[in-house]
Amino acid sequence: MITLRDQPIEELLLLAQKGDLRSRETIIEENRDFIARVSSKICNRYLTWNNDDELSIALIAFNEAIDGYDPREGMAFPTFARRVIHHRLVDYFRKEAKHRHIPLLTEEADEEFSTYDVEYAYQQYHEQQQQENFEAVMEHYIAELTHYGVTLDDLVKVSPKHRDSKETLVRVARALSGERALLETLTKQKLLPIKELELLTGVKRKVLERGRKYLIALTLIFSNPSFYALKSFTDIPD
């Protein structure tokens, strides 16, 4: 918690509670790092402004802490603010999970939350977010595949059964992803540059033609960072 050089934090808090917007804005601005640090610890991952909704919730909570702080209760403002942020984030996880019909622990009458309660709520919320993100990426990937005349059913049918064959196609797809000119041929003309790939990799034309759809699917993943989360979906060997 940062104490401003020109005024103690307690004086600024009192002014803010009386309606001084400038004091409130100063307190918030000077403590953005504190808010991010506390929130990241609660969420057990690094959070960044403008990218994570949790920080927006924490910022609102910090603003509430300014209004609700009473030094007569004997608690330092940083401790009080941390507690309010903690409660608001857990409440946010609960509401998000409830909205998505995810069962959480029953809320206790006590306002305090146990460490397990916090971790469980966040775990359920985070897992649901990951699932939604995966589904969105998959939807985008499927739409992209259609431009090349490839479907998910195709991938199931043409996916190599032998590890050696799969590793060969993975090697070709990685090589294609690293060659800008060849990659442009694929993305613009929607055609796999068979002849050039044969010369580049030494893999026979027959093998490349037989694995065309699988090669296209792999290359899209290797060349587009937003698709790389699908690596496990296509069972790409390391």
Side-chain angles (χ1 to χ4, degrees), residues 167-183 193 196-203 208 215 218-219 222:
E167 289 178 346
T168 296
L169 294 180
V170 168
R171 177 168 61 85
V172 173
R174 291 189 189 280
L176 174 55
S177 301
E179 292 290 330
R180 180 176 299 180
L182 298 185
L183 190 58
E196 291 83 354
L197 283 176
E198 185 179 13
L199 293 173
L200 177 66
T201 64
V203 178
L208 297 175
L215 279 172
L218 291 183
T219 303
F222 291 148

Side-chain angles (χ1 to χ4, degrees), residues 5-70:
R5 295 178 181 178
D6 54 346
Q7 283 181 288
I9 187 69
E10 290 78 10
E11 292 183 12
L12 285 168
L13 286 167
L14 184 59
L15 290 172
Q17 290 173 349
K18 291 181 177 180
D20 186 347
L21 295 180
R22 188 173 181 179
S23 295
R24 182 181 297 270
E25 291 173 359
T26 300
I27 295 171
I28 292 174
E29 185 60 31
E30 290 290 334
N31 288 283
R32 286 172 68 86
D33 287 345
F34 168 82
I35 296 169
R37 186 169 63 254
V38 170
S39 303
S40 295
K41 185 175 181 180
I42 293 170
C43 295
N44 197 29
R45 67 184 179 90
Y46 181 69
L47 304 176
T48 58
W49 296 100
N50 300 322
N51 290 321
D52 294 295
D53 291 340
E54 292 88 343
L55 280 180
S56 297
I57 301 299
L59 185 61
I60 294 173
F62 185 83
N63 192 49
E64 291 177 358
I66 293 175
D67 290 326
Y69 178 65
D70 187 347

Side-chain angles (χ1 to χ4, degrees), residues 69-115:
Y69 178 65
D70 187 347
R72 293 173 298 180
E73 294 182 358
M75 184 182 295
F77 180 68
T79 303
F80 180 75
R82 185 181 292 108
R83 182 176 180 180
V84 176
I85 292 172
H86 182 168
H87 283 202
R88 292 294 174 266
L89 282 174
V90 172
D91 187 52
Y92 171 66
F93 300 151
R94 287 183 181 279
K95 288 179 179 178
E96 288 296 302
K98 184 178 181 180
H99 176 69
R100 296 180 174 93
H101 307 291
I102 301 173
L104 290 178
L105 297 177
T106 304
E107 291 192 32
E108 301 174 352
D110 189 351
E111 194 180 37
E112 293 292 338
F113 297 99
S114 68
T115 300

Side-chain angles (χ1 to χ4, degrees), residues 92-204:
Y92 171 66
F93 300 151
R94 287 183 181 279
K95 288 179 179 178
E96 288 296 302
K98 184 178 181 180
H99 176 69
R100 296 180 174 93
H101 307 291
I102 301 173
L104 290 178
L105 297 177
T106 304
E107 291 192 32
E108 301 174 352
D110 189 351
E111 194 180 37
E112 293 292 338
F113 297 99
S114 68
T115 300
Y116 176 77
D117 200 16
V118 175
E119 292 177 351
Y120 185 80
Y122 181 71
Q123 179 184 355
Q124 297 298 311
Y125 164 74
H126 186 58
E127 287 178 357
Q128 181 65 23
Q129 274 198 323
Q130 286 184 317
Q131 179 63 28
E132 290 181 355
N133 291 339
F134 181 84
E135 290 174 358
V137 171
M138 178 61 76
E139 184 177 349
H140 184 195
Y141 182 63
I142 293 173
E144 189 67 20
L145 285 174
T146 60
H147 297 312
Y148 299 85
V150 181
T151 66
L152 290 185
D153 287 340
D154 291 335
L155 293 184
V156 173
K157 295 176 183 177
V158 304
S159 179
K161 301 299 185 292
H162 300 290
R163 185 173 182 84
D164 289 347
S165 300
K166 182 171 293 186
E167 289 178 346
T168 296
L169 294 180
V170 168
R171 177 168 61 85
V172 173
R174 291 189 189 280
L176 174 55
S177 301
E179 292 290 330
R180 180 176 299 180
L182 298 185
L183 190 58
E184 286 185 1
T185 298
L186 175 66
T187 57
K188 292 182 178 181
Q189 300 180 23
K190 309 305 179 187
L191 295 174
L192 194 67
I194 298 290
K195 181 178 179 180
E196 291 83 354
L197 283 176
E198 185 179 13
L199 293 173
L200 177 66
T201 64
V203 178
K204 294 181 179 180

